[in-house]
């Protein structure tokens, strides 16, 4: 990321959607931005953090999304503009606050940015977070390009201040991580001082009249948004097919229309302001069409609401045909593509269309299926999580009571996969691993005989795990908590968190360490180095054998990628071919077949394991699992 | 602004996490933007550090804003930093005229390391790519990069090869200027050399 | 999302059979025959586990396991006896000669089990060069027995005494045999382990097994779960590492446990529940596949019953007698009759237990 205040106004520059969102916020004069990291949203706050000094604003990684939005709301109450950004799951975390803030209202412009992840490219779900606008009666903006990201952010703050309520801007992975030419505008010259008049109060009661106030704000938003110019129609006046689309889907629709060569028959109503609906504009288009296709990601949000709008006006509009996710012309799951839309349009218009000759596709598919081995995700070479899951696998096996592992969110979620030996039994949302473990730990008296291990990362620990842990402690739940402390929010790009003692802008904060927290609630936490397989297995075994109650182990070892930046690992690894047992009984490729570090390869021709020196980082863990002592670790300085 | 061989020009850059795919697409995007084209660069990452496949889509038009996804089977060119990844994307993005430019150095998937799957013989892989590519450029990019001191330079070697393929409306100079936006002057020498080696491997 | 975890490698016949036939039904007696051969089989705190598939169809683990009897357990034992030129006589196995004996050396006094003959013979075999290294058993980590490799008399003495808990001492033997060395080895083995040792010596894909030159067998009626024993001792208030444990012959009805703090007696009814399930399938009281077997002398505390089975075993015992390391006398007829009856009883009980599992 880079300092976005340095961009020259008026000169086109290649910006990522997330950077454009950040630049738009800076141009709107924000004073505070807060977020919790999560793909695909992380770069918004990262680039704001890099711009914080020059812009003279406060930018922070918060402990979770709810705290982030609450912090931003506080700034708004004092008259400052502020924002919080998060991935779709974060909206759920912040939801309780949102559903009260919407009634209380805001003063300085306040914008919530949600970056959804259609197809779950880097998420545990593909939830459509637009629901929050409908649920909380908040204005919703959906940009289609980085350029619109910037423009809509500027507009969002104006709108928020004009109506006195939170505004939601929704991006998706493809937009957040798309770069395109953007022309930056001017940055504001100065900003007001924060002040909260002690006579003013921000609250939600009495509920019913204030609910009405909230709806009045939404109605005001409708007319402001209608004048924004973000809703546009392009196409023939009376199209054979009207496509109503938002965000990237509008671009895909335009592309599909060209591919099918039906620009004279298909019109596209691109909606940038998607809640509340610009009813007048939409009705005026519905009047001139009888066939309508909805194109959006992921849920049929516009589709459902516009069908409802139609129902209200059906006597005037007459019979209409609606196509989309409801009709089965488009799938309810996964991200939109130009091809999906072209297929739907062709079907509705009665055209035959294939993206490429059938036999080409067949041939390419057959060749790829025959040759292209899948490329499964794997922990990085040297990743402490591989060692930790190795310990968990081995220890639960010798414990022999069919232990269950409750997992959580982070790189270590890959424990579900072969790279973590499929040793995780459940994963849901941030912190839920501890809640599930807390419940499992109560079942012994009902006859549950299996021991329970819960794994949680250090960043997740501070985000949402604490109530689950406190609950388990209070209610005497019986399980072993293993904190996989790699001293980074590694999954999302190494952002700092409360345990690191560094803030988003690189300033020293106060480190909140896991063991002190555990000690404060009466839990002694044993710190173990997961690279030391023997010690880690011993510690976990001991913890599992202890009779009742919660035990805490901290498997602490810095993320291998972070270690790489800090000068790397100490060992140069090699394989003694004379000792390596290869494929014989007594080994059978244990290191490459079972342990599976990408730094190890099997030389088929020689029938021996080998180190891939380009990939191996030299953590030394594999030397401990080789049954023949054939994998050797030599100190790098000695080897050099 | 020169004409494009196809408008939009759809260049798919594929590879494995950690190969510098995103950087290559950014360099290309900056160079094309500077030359006056409308550019959209879509990036797919998130779990990229964890050994998975990574894709970038560079879309170029003289006048139209394109979406971030190349439509099914409409890649003009596929630049692959790893040979198997080129084959993997062809069913979805290839077409009979597609120009495939691939690094010849395999990076073994973890499934191959573990013995569950096997990596094809390189000659067979090359032949398969030849069957479904309109034109195939088989580039020893990692080898060239290693000769320059670091395998990570392979992505820049591949940009040189792409420039030499005749698909781009811009030349080496423009790409070099794009690189200069990303690297401090001190680091430009090996990048410049990598670019030029990539070019020569295709043109000579 | 509910998703059964998919095995990443196709199931291997050898390790899979071991799992299906021995580990999963709880028949493993933790003898250690499969351990130390490969990294797929683990022993920790008395429990054997195999967390990953090994991917081989013809590995050795299943062949060495004494709890994998194959279609005809008797035939397997007879085959292993025949491989060393001996017969499978009922019910005591091959008997070349038998004695009552006890060690003479003072340093074998208190700690050794019964008459100290095992320690005396092991030490003698090392001193004579019949073997250069012996694998014995010692209380290891967590108090569970572990194999230990010794090369001299001092090492033997450190291991004197026995612990009635499963602990996989053959793991150490496999590890010793995996090393690039040529020297002959010996092992002190329970009946199950004597069978495994004979299987190692005869296995076509275990050439290092030929280095095993001496098996000193121990009589055994049953073995205890290491974890179970620790629990029972804990409940009985016995603390500290167990240095020796002993089932005195009837009518004692107790397990006598010695720790540094003293001697405790545990009633047999507390011990029975922690008996290894797999021991019920063992037909062998007297380590029939050893070179020489040693056990308690009924009604004669401080003495051992000794049965030489092979030429090697007999020569070793006779040398010990000649050197005055062991004194011996004839086994009283009545005692021999009791031993024979007990051995026949164990064979019969094992047979019906096997019947039950096969047909029940």
């Amino acid at each position: 990321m880079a300092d976005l205040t340095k961009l020259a106004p008026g000169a086109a520059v290649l910006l990522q959607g997330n950077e454009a969102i950040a630049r738009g916020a800076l141009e709107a004069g924000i004073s505070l931005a807060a977020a919790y990291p999560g793909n695909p949203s992380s770069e918004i706050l990262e680039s704001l953090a890099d711009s914080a000094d020059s812009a003279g604003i406060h930018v922070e990684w918060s402990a979770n999304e709810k705290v982030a939005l609450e912090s931003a709301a506080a700034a708004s109450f004092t008259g400052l503009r502020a924002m919080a950004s998060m991935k779709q799951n974060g909206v759920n975390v912040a939801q309780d606050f949102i559903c009260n803030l919407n009634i209380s209202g805001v003063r300085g412009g306040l914008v919530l940015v949600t970056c959804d992840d259609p197809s779950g490219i880097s998420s545990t779900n593909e939830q459509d977070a637009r629901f929050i606008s409908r649920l909380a009666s908040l204005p919703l903006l959906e940009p289609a390009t980085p350029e619109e990201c910037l423009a809509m952010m500027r507009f969002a703050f104006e709108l928020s201040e004009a109506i006195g309520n939170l505004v939601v801007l929704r991006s998706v992975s493809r937009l957040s991580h798309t770069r395109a030419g953007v022309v930056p505008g001017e940055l504001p010259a100065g900003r007001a001082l924060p002040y909260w008049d002690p006579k003013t109060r921000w609250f939600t009661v009495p509920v019913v009249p204030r609910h009405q106030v909230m709806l009045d704000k939404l109605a005001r938003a409708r007319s402001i948004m209608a004048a924004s110019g973000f809703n546009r129609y392009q196409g023939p006046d009376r199209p054979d097919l009207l496509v109503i689309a938002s965000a990237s889907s509008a671009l895909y629709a335009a592309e599909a229309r060209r591919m099918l060569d039906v620009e004279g028959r298909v019109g596209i109503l691109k909606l940038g302001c998607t809640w509340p609906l610009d009813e007048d504009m939409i009705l005026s288009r519905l009047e001139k069409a009888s066939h309508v296709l909805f194109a959006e990601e992921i849920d049929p949000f516009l589709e459902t609401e516009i069908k409802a709008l139609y129902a209200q006006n059906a006597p005037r509009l007459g019979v209409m045909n609606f196509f989309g996710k409801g009709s089965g012309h488009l799938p309810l799951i996964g991200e939109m593509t130009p091809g999906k839309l072209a297929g739907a349009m062709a079907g509705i218009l009665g055209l035959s269309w294939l993206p490429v000759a059938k036999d080409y596709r067949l041939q390419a598919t057959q060749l790829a299926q025959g040759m292209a081995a899948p490329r499964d995700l794997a922990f990085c070479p040297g990743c402490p999580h591989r060692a930790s899951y190795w310990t968990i696998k081995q220890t639960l096996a010798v414990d022999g009571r069919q232990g269950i592992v409750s997992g959580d969110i982070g790189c270590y979620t890959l424990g579900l996969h072969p790279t973590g030996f499929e040793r995780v039994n459940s994963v849901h949302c941030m912190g839920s691993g501890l809640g599930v473990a807390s419940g499992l730990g109560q079942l012994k008296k009902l006859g549950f005989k299996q021991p329970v291990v819960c794994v949680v990362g250090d960043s997740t620990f501070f985000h949402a795990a604490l109530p689950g842990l406190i609950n388990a402690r209070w209610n005497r739940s019986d399980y072993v908590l293993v904190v996989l402390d790699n001293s980074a929010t590694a999954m999302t790009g190494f952002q700092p968190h409360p345990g690191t003692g560094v803030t988003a802008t690189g300033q020293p904060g106060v480190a909140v360490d896991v063991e002190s927290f555990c000690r404060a609630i009466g839990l002694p936490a044993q710190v173990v180095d997961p690279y030391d397989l023997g010690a880690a297995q011993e510690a976990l075994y001991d913890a599992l054998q202890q009779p009742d109650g919660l035990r805490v182990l901290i498997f602490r070892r810095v993320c291998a990628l972070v270690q790489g930046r800090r000068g790397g690992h100490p060992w140069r690894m090699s394989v003694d071919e004379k000792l390596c047992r290869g494929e014989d009984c007594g080994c059978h490729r244990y290191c490459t077949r079972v342990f599976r570090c990408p730094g190890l390869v099997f030389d088929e021709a020689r029938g021996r394991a080998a180190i891939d020196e380009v990939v191996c980082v030299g953590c030394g863990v594999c030397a401990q699992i080789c049954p023949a002592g054939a994998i050797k670790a030599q100190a790098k300085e000695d080897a050099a | 602004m020169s004409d494009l061989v196809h408008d939009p020009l759809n260049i798919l850059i594929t590879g494995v996490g950690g190969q510098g795919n995103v950087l290559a697409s950014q360099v290309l995007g900056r160079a094309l933007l500077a030359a006056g084209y409308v550019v959209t660069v879509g990036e797919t990452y998130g779990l990229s550090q964890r050994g998975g496949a990574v894709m970038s889509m560079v879309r170029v038009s003289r006048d139209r804003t394109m979406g971030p996804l190349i439509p099914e089977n409409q890649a003009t060119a596929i630049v692959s930093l790893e040979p198997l990844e080129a084959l993997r994307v062809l069913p979805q993005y290839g077409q009979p005229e597609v120009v495939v430019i691939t690094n010849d150095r395999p990076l073994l998937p973890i499934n191959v390391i573990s013995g569950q799957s096997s990596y094809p013989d390189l000659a067979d892989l090359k032949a398969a790519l030849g069957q479904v590519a309109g034109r195939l450029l088989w580039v020893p990019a990692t080898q060239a990069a290693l000769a320059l001191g670091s395998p990570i330079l392979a992505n820049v070697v591949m940009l040189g090869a792409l420039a030499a393929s005749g698909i781009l409306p811009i030349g080496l100079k423009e790409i070099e200027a794009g690189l200069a936006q990303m690297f401090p002057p001190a680091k430009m020498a090996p990048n410049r050399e990598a670019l030029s080696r990539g070019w020569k491997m295709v043109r000579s | 999302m509910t998703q059964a975890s998919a095995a990443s490698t196709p199931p291997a016949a050898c390790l899979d059979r071991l799992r299906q036939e021995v580990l999963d039904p709880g028949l493993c007696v933790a003898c250690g025959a499969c351990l130390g051969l490969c990294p797929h089989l683990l022993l920790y705190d008395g429990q054997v586990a195999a967390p990953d598939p090994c991917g081989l169809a013809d590995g050795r683990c299943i062949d060495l396991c004494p709890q994998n009897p194959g279609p005809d357990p008797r035939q397997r034992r007879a085959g292993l006896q025949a491989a060393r030129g001996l017969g499978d006589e009922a019910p005591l196995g091959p008997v070349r000669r038998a004695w009552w004996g006890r060690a003479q050396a003072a340093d074998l006094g208190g700690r050794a089990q019964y008459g100290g003959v095992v320690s005396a013979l092991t030490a003698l075999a090392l001193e004579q060069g019949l073997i250069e290294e012996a694998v014995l058993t010692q209380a290891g980590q967590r108090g569970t027995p572990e194999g230990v490799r010794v090369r001299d008399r001092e090492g033997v003495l450190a291991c004197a005494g026995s612990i009635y808990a499963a602990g996989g001492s053959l793991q150490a033997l496999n590890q010793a045999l995996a090393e690039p060395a040529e020297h002959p080895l010996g092992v002190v083995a329970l009946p199950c382990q004597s069978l495994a040792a004979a299987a190692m010596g005869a296995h076509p894909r275990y050439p290092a097994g030929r280095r095993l030159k001496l098996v000193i067998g121990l009589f055994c009626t049953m073995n205890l779960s290491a974890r179970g024993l620790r629990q029972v001792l804990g409940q009985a208030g016995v603390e500290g590492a167990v240095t020796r444990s002993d089932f005195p012959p009837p009518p004692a009805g107790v397990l006598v446990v010695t720790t540094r703090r003293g001697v405790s007696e545990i009633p047999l009814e507390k011990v029975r529940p922690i008996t290894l399930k797999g021991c019920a399938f063992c037909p062998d009281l007297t380590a029939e596949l050893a070179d020489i077997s040693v056990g308690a002398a009924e009604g004669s505390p401080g003495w051992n019953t000794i049965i030489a089975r092979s030429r090697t075993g007999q020569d070793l015992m006779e040398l010990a007698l000649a050197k005055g390391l062991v004194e011996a006398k004839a086994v009283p007829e009545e005692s021999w009759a009791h031993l024979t009856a007990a051995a026949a009883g164990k064979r019969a009980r094992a047979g019906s237990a096997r019947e039950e599992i096969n047909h029940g």
Side-chain angles (χ1 to χ4, degrees), chain C residues 115-199:
Chain C
V117 170
V118 171
S119 301
L121 293 177
T122 309
L124 178 62
L126 284 168
E127 279 158 9
Q128 290 296 308
L130 171 62
I131 55 174
E132 281 178 35
E133 188 173 10
V135 178
L136 310 176
T137 304
Q138 196 179 38
Q141 208 186 15
R142 299 177 191 280
T144 53
E146 284 182 353
V148 56
R149 291 159 62 179
V150 303
R151 285 182 173 262
D152 54 26
R153 181 180 184 82
E154 286 68 40
V156 174
L157 294 185
C159 298
S162 65
I163 305 156
Y164 279 89
S169 58
L170 292 187
Q171 179 170 24
L173 179 61
N174 279 322
Q175 283 162 346
L177 292 174
E179 288 170 7
E182 302 295 333
H183 64 261
L185 287 114
V187 64
V188 175
L190 295 169
C192 49
Q193 295 174 317
S194 305
L195 172 67

Side-chain angles (χ1 to χ4, degrees), chain B residues 123-201:
Chain B
D124 294 346
L125 180 55
K126 188 176 176 182
L129 288 172
Q131 281 181 58
V132 280
R135 178 148 73 105
L136 173 66
L137 300 175
W138 186 256
V139 183
T142 298
Q143 197 183 319
L146 283 169
L148 291 171
S150 171
I152 195 65
L153 287 167
N155 59 348
V156 180
V157 175
M158 291 300 291
L159 284 181
L162 171 65
S165 73
I167 289 165
L168 296 180
I170 54 172
L172 277 191
K173 267 213 178 62
E174 286 82 0
I175 296 179
E176 199 179 309
L179 275 166
Q181 289 185 42
M182 312 281 298
F183 288 99
K187 290 200 172 167
M188 277 305 289
N191 279 300
R192 215 175 284 127
E193 182 58 28
L195 209 53
S196 139
R197 290 214 184 184
W199 171 280
K200 283 180 197 148
M201 277 191 257

